[in-house]
Amino acid sequence: MRVRRSIFAAGALLLSAGGAAAQEGSTPAGQPHPWQMGLQEALSPIEAQIHWFSNYVLAFIVPITILVAALLGWCVYRFRESRNREASRTSHNTLIEVVWTLAPVIVLLFIAVPSFQLLTAQYNPPSEPELTVKATGYQWYWGYEYQPSNDSPEAQAKAVSFDSYPLAQLTDSLADQDAASEAKGGLDFYPRLLAVDNEMVVPVNTVIRVTTTSADVIHSWAVPSMGVKVDAVPGRLNEYWFEALKEGLFYGQCSELCGQNHANMPIAVRVVSKEQFQKWYAAAAEDVGEANKQLMAEVDGRKAVEVAGR
C-alpha cells in the first residue's frame, strides 16, 4: 500500500509539473493562474497526495453521475404518463434494494481507506520537524514567531518574530496596488492582493511545523500549493506540517471568514536554500527588514541571471 501511494504521489507530481511547464513564462508556481480550473501545482508531498486523491475520487464521481443521470432520463422516458395511463403498484424489489444498499457501501469503503491514509499523513510528519513557526492571526494580518529548538537564553536571544501585512489595502486603487507590487519586484512575483511586506521564510526540503492561533476571531492559515489549511482559533494551538519541494514564493489567503477585510489577509511563504535561510535567520535576529532586503537582493539577482541565460 505504501509503494502504491508513492507511485501515485510521483504521478501527481509529474502531472502538476507538466501543467506548470505549460504555464511557464506567464506566472510563477505557487499562486493562482488565469483561467485555472484544477488544483494549484503540487509543491509538497501532502499536496501531491491530495492531487492523487482528488483524481481518485473523481473516477468514482463521474461514472456515478452519468449512471444516475441515465437512470433518471430512462425513467422519465419509459414511465411517462402517455405510456403509463395506470401507475404501477410495485412497492418492493429485493434485488434492487440489495444492489442500491451494497453498491454505495462498497464505493464508500474504497473512498474511506485512502481518505484515512491521507488524513493520517497530514498530521504525522515523516521525520521530526527541523523548524517550528507560530502563525498568529489578527484582523487583518499575520504575525510569525520562529521558535528556537531549545529554551536557552542564547537561543531565545536569537528568536525571530515579525508581522506580515498586505502590500496594499483594499481601499487603495488598482493603480496603487499595482504600483506597490511593481515597486517590490513586479506583478508576476508579487501579485495584487496576495503580496505582503514580510514573507514567512523557510528552507527548502525541510519538514516545517506550523502552529496556529488567533488574537481575536477564528482565522485559517492556508497555502494551497503546499497542501496546508489549518484553523487559527483564539485560545488554542493547532499544529500542521509541510515540506516545500522547490524554492520560490508561494501564496495563500485566510480561509475562514473573519470580518470586513477578510479578502485582504494574504499569506506569503518564501522558500530558499538552507544556506540562504541560515544567513537570513542570523540577520533577522538583529533586523528583519534589513535581512529581507539582503535576501531579496540575492534571490532577485539569481533570478535575473537565470532569465538572462535562457
Side-chain angles (χ1 to χ4, degrees):
M1 181 66 70
R2 185 171 299 174
V3 173
R4 189 185 69 179
R5 282 191 297 166
S6 299
I7 293 173
F8 283 127
L13 278 172
L14 289 174
L15 288 173
S16 61
Q23 293 173 342
E24 185 177 358
S26 55
T27 48
Q31 65 186 60
H33 297 285
W35 298 97
Q36 183 175 8
M37 296 184 65
L39 300 174
Q40 288 189 28
E41 180 185 355
L43 299 172
S44 73
I46 289 297
E47 182 62 13
Q49 292 187 44
I50 291 174
H51 277 217
W52 175 84
F53 185 68
S54 174
N55 295 331
Y56 176 76
V57 173
L58 196 62
F60 288 92
I61 293 175
V62 171
I64 290 174
T65 302
I66 293 174
L67 175 63
V68 171
L71 288 175
L72 284 173
W74 181 76
C75 289
V76 169
Y77 172 78
R78 174 65 179 78
F79 300 105
R80 65 188 187 276
E81 184 181 2
S82 61
R83 294 192 58 179
N84 296 271
R85 297 297 181 182
E86 293 185 9
S88 171
R89 295 181 180 276
T90 303
S91 61
H92 182 76
N93 187 301
T94 302
L95 177 60
I96 292 178
E97 291 190 4
V98 170
V99 170
W100 75 33
T101 299
L102 290 181
V105 170
I106 294 173
V107 170
L108 289 175
L109 284 175
F110 272 95
I111 294 176
V113 172
S115 174
F116 290 146
Q117 292 173 338
L118 174 58
L119 188 63
T120 300
Q122 287 178 311
Y123 291 95
N124 291 275
S127 62
E128 186 66 23
E130 300 178 43
L131 175 67
T132 299
V133 183
K134 181 181 179 182
T136 303
Y138 301 91
Q139 290 178 308
W140 289 271
Y141 62 96
W142 293 94
Y144 296 109
E145 179 183 345
Y146 289 71
Q147 300 178 346
S149 57
N150 58 69
D151 295 328
S152 66
E154 294 80 6
Q156 293 294 339
K158 294 183 179 180
V160 173
S161 62
F162 56 88
D163 292 331
S164 179
Y165 288 90
L167 199 58
Q169 300 298 320
L170 283 174
T171 53
D172 295 338
S173 67
L174 295 183
D176 290 338
Q177 295 174 17
D178 290 349
S181 296
E182 290 292 351
K184 185 164 184 179
L187 277 168
D188 282 349
F189 287 90
Y190 303 97
R192 180 192 306 151
L193 299 182
L194 287 178
V196 300
D197 55 356
N198 297 315
E199 296 91 6
M200 171 181 166
V201 181
V202 298
V204 71
N205 296 322
T206 303
V207 177
I208 310 295
R209 178 193 288 119
V210 177
T211 60
T212 63
T213 189
S214 171
D216 34 57
V217 300
I218 299 178
H219 302 279
S220 186
W221 200 83
V223 182
S225 60
M226 295 293 175
V228 180
K229 184 180 184 300
V230 55
D231 285 349
V233 183
R236 175 173 177 173
L237 275 178
N238 288 329
E239 182 178 316
Y240 206 85
W241 74 275
F242 70 92
E243 180 183 0
L245 299 177
K246 63 181 293 186
E247 299 177 32
L249 264 174
F250 311 112
Y251 292 101
Q253 291 177 297
C254 176
S255 296
E256 184 70 37
L257 188 61
C258 58
Q260 179 183 3
N261 284 341
H262 164 69
N264 194 31
M265 193 173 171
I267 299 162
V269 178
R270 185 185 291 274
V271 181
V272 298
S273 68
K274 295 184 179 182
E275 294 77 12
Q276 288 174 326
F277 175 77
Q278 292 298 332
K279 289 193 294 184
W280 172 86
Y281 192 87
E286 304 296 333
D287 187 336
V288 173
E290 188 60 31
N292 287 340
K293 290 180 181 178
Q294 295 174 5
L295 181 61
M296 284 185 61
E298 182 176 354
V299 171
D300 290 344
R302 186 179 63 181
K303 180 179 67 179
V305 171
E306 290 175 350
V307 172
R310 287 183 182 177

